[in-house]
Amino acid sequence: APHLSEEIHARLAGDNMLSEGAWPSYDPEALVQSTIELVVQVNGKLRDRLMVDKDIDEEGAKAAALASSKVSEHLEGKTIRKIIFVPGKLLNIVAA
């Protein structure tokens, strides 16, 4: 496989040997995510996945979850008893 790769590279690029080339570089800024996927549960069951800012607080997550039609249809006629928020991962609404 290495010999075949060198031969293909020589025919396509033709400048130098593949084994003598530099390693590809990367951009560290491209690895930083500004949004996350927040899982929203109602009574422990998955109801929606929301793309939100990575630094969202509990109030912002609650507002985004309650604005979701998938979540609000499971809360109709129920009273919210408790909200469990795990930053960056999960919002669980306990309703009865």
Side-chain angles (χ1 to χ4, degrees):
H3 303 289
L4 183 60
S5 299
E6 287 287 353
E7 186 67 30
I8 292 171
H9 179 73
R11 289 184 187 209
L12 293 176
D15 51 357
N16 59 356
M17 292 183 64
L18 185 61
S19 60
E20 294 173 352
W23 283 94
S25 62
Y26 71 99
D27 181 13
E29 294 296 320
L31 300 175
V32 178
Q33 294 182 339
S34 60
T35 60
I36 58 163
E37 183 179 64
L38 182 70
V39 173
V40 181
Q41 296 179 339
V42 176
N43 293 331
K45 295 182 181 176
L46 176 66
R47 298 303 178 194
D48 203 358
R49 296 172 188 260
L50 304 173
M51 293 304 292
V52 296
D53 185 45
K54 71 174 183 170
D55 297 325
I56 195 166
D57 61 346
E58 184 173 352
E59 292 302 316
K62 180 181 173 183
L66 294 176
S68 169
S69 62
K70 294 179 183 178
V71 174
S72 61
E73 71 183 35
H74 292 285
L75 293 175
E76 289 179 11
K78 295 182 181 178
T79 305
I80 296 175
R81 302 285 184 196
K82 185 177 182 181
I83 293 182
I84 302 166
F85 178 64
V86 179
K89 295 183 181 184
L90 170 76
L91 179 77
N92 187 5
I93 303 171
V94 180

